[in-house]
Amino acid sequence: MNMNIALVPGDGIGPDIVREAVRVLDKVAEVYGHSISYKEVDAGGVSIDKYGIPLTDSALETAASSDAVLLGAVGGPKWDHVPGNLRPEKALLGLRSGLGLFCNLRPAVIYPELADASPLKPSVISEGVDLLVVRELTGGIYFGEKGRNADGSEAFDVMKYSVKEIERIAKKAFEAARLRKKHVTLVDKANVLETSRLWRETVSAVAKEYSDVDLDCMYVDNASMQLVRDPKHFDVLLTENMFGDILSDEASMITGSIGMLASASLRDDSFGMYEPIHGSAPDIAGMNIANPVATILSAAMMLRYSFSLEKEARAIENAVASALSDGVRTRDIAATGEAAIGTAECGSEILRRIR
Ligand code: NAD
């Protein structure tokens, strides 16, 4: 297969970690007989420095004309003084909305070797945690009408969803579940919110097309408790924008390892943008100590969701798991007294385990 990938290294540790993900992708291409071409795109602080704005039209066009985008991270103290609408983070919003990405996937996995990093008791995570939050990204209360009354003493934000918006993300969740443990939990507040009742009706109707996948429904207040009480209940957690914003951060925290967590933002076709959930870590930029695993696992998600290369995606995930079980650790995940290796060395340890 030929893959055209736009690389957006961004700022801070972005270039360091994207470089390692590219080396791993190249190794996968070599082992499995694919070819990959890359185009590099400036976004974030680096684009502000060159062009005065965080995302140029031509950067967006290059990203849009690729098959998929791999992004490092943007931002840093150097650009803290720039006005709000020119901040580096605006590049992310520009890419997500400009590329029409409505579906955000955030896996949260606890590797047995890193279980100590989890703030949860060993008894709660003894059977492992491997869940995927599927969050609607372009609708709901964040995008609804908002305002104040004339004297400013009242404010409102409107939560609105259409059947079409719910259907398209529900399908993404069921399709993702088919590649996993075939269990979707819809998280909502259907006892109070009319939008949630529409989500339940619509998702239940979509579920009929996926009779091999189990569906259950949970109120968001209960889901936020169950994530820390019994996280193994969840396989795919499907939810609307605001609940997903909150629950995906909660799910990340239970793993305790920010340098390990990948994400994907998708649209209806196979196009997607893939990035680690962490930021640009300016405190460790250019020092060869950043953990590249989140970005390498984002590249695995790219192979799975944009190119349907499940075997190749698993080859990366297995290489990461095997490196961890052999004691490969960057500084952020090394226990006290445990030896740590650098970003590039970690990339090398993973790529030599690609089978
Ligand atoms: P951050 O995630 O960059 O860093 C938080 C802490 O985690 C830091 O101590 C950092 O060293 C550490 N860390 C993060 N990723 C790591 C990795 N791969 N390996 C080892 N350690 C890692 O969050 P922050 O400090 O709040 O933000 C820094 C900058 O990043 C800000 O400008 C912020 O706006 C931006 N940011 C960007 C994104 C993005 O591009 N998606 C997301 C969040 C924050």
Side-chain angles (χ1 to χ4, degrees):
M1 178 183 281
N2 286 320
M3 297 176 247
N4 294 310
I5 297 175
L7 297 176
V8 188
D11 308 313
I13 60 170
D16 308 348
I17 52 181
V18 167
R19 190 179 309 121
E20 297 315 309
V22 166
R23 289 174 67 215
V24 171
L25 280 171
D26 285 343
K27 177 69 188 237
V28 170
E30 180 196 315
V31 171
Y32 287 86
H34 302 298
S35 73
I36 309 182
S37 57
Y38 303 98
K39 276 201 182 132
E40 207 162 303
V41 175
D42 288 322
V46 67
S47 171
I48 296 175
D49 287 353
K50 282 192 195 169
Y51 311 108
I53 50 172
L55 185 72
T56 62
D57 288 346
S58 110
L60 182 59
E61 274 162 31
T62 306
S65 64
S66 67
D67 300 326
V69 179
L70 182 67
L71 184 136
V74 299
K78 183 175 174 196
W79 303 281
D80 276 353
H81 61 278
V82 302
N85 61 339
L86 286 180
R87 288 185 61 81
E89 294 77 8
K90 288 281 173 194
L92 294 177
L93 300 179
L95 283 163
R96 286 180 191 141
S97 63
L99 298 169
L101 306 169
F102 64 85
C103 170
N104 185 235
L105 305 186
R106 287 235 319 230
V109 178
I110 295 185
Y111 293 89
E113 298 83 6
L114 303 181
D116 281 353
S118 170
L120 300 186
K121 280 190 205 150
S123 59
V124 175
I125 54 170
S126 60
E127 291 172 52
V129 173
D130 181 1
L131 61 92
L132 177 70
V133 178
V134 177
R135 167 189 171 194
E136 203 287 328
L137 211 52
T138 55
I141 197 164
Y142 292 172
F143 291 89
E145 193 191 344
K146 48 193 84 246
R148 297 266 179 118
N149 67 348
D151 69 5
S153 62
E154 281 179 12
F156 63 91
D157 298 279
V158 174
M159 164 103 98
K160 207 167 161 185
Y161 269 109
S162 69
V163 167
K164 206 167 145 257
E165 284 173 304
I166 302 167
E167 271 174 355
R168 64 182 186 177
I169 188 140
K171 286 182 183 157
K172 291 280 182 196
F174 283 104
E175 272 153 30
R178 276 192 169 154
L179 298 172
R180 300 172 48 92
K181 286 173 267 168
K182 299 190 168 62
H183 175 200
V184 172
T185 302
L186 169 64
V187 172
D188 62 24
K189 192 71 185 168
N191 49 345
V192 180
L193 299 176
E194 196 55 37
T195 43
S196 286
R197 289 191 272 273
L198 185 65
W199 269 79
R200 277 206 185 190
E201 280 165 37
T202 310
V203 173
S204 301
V206 172
K208 296 200 173 89
E209 296 164 38
Y210 297 88
S211 53
D212 53 325
V213 178
D214 291 331
L215 170 69
D216 64 359
C217 302
M218 197 181 273
Y219 297 139
V220 62
D221 39 352
N222 186 21
S224 68
M225 290 194 288
Q226 297 308 324
L227 268 174
V228 290
R229 197 189 74 89
D230 183 26
K232 71 172 183 318
H233 172 84
F234 298 99
D235 175 24
V236 172
L237 189 163
L238 164 64
T239 193
E240 62 88 42
N241 200 347
M242 180 169 60
F243 297 158
D245 189 6
I246 299 165
L247 293 179
S248 58
D249 270 13
E250 186 187 359
S252 308
M253 277 318 296
I254 68 178
T255 73
S257 317
I258 193 173
M260 305 285 297
L261 297 170
S263 79
S265 302
L266 310 175
R267 62 183 191 206
D268 262 338
D269 57 9
S270 60
F271 185 89
M273 184 164 92
Y274 301 83
E275 56 185 306
I277 70 152
H278 59 71
S280 61
D283 50 331
I284 56 168
M287 295 164 72
N288 193 40
I289 52 179
N291 186 345
V293 170
T295 316
I296 291 171
L297 290 173
S298 301
M301 293 185 83
M302 170 188 287
L303 296 180
R304 171 171 296 123
Y305 294 108
S306 280
F307 300 105
S308 298
L309 296 174
E310 181 62 25
K311 238 185 350 196
E312 289 82 342
R314 279 186 202 249
I316 296 181
E317 289 159 355
N318 292 340
V320 167
S322 145
L324 285 176
S325 76
D326 292 344
V328 170
R329 303 277 188 277
T330 44
R331 197 184 65 167
D332 57 310
I333 54 169
T336 320
E338 211 173 22
I341 60 173
T343 310
E345 294 71 25
C346 180
S348 300
E349 289 293 339
I350 291 166
L351 75 86
R352 76 182 180 80
R353 288 172 172 80
I354 298 287
R355 301 274 178 272

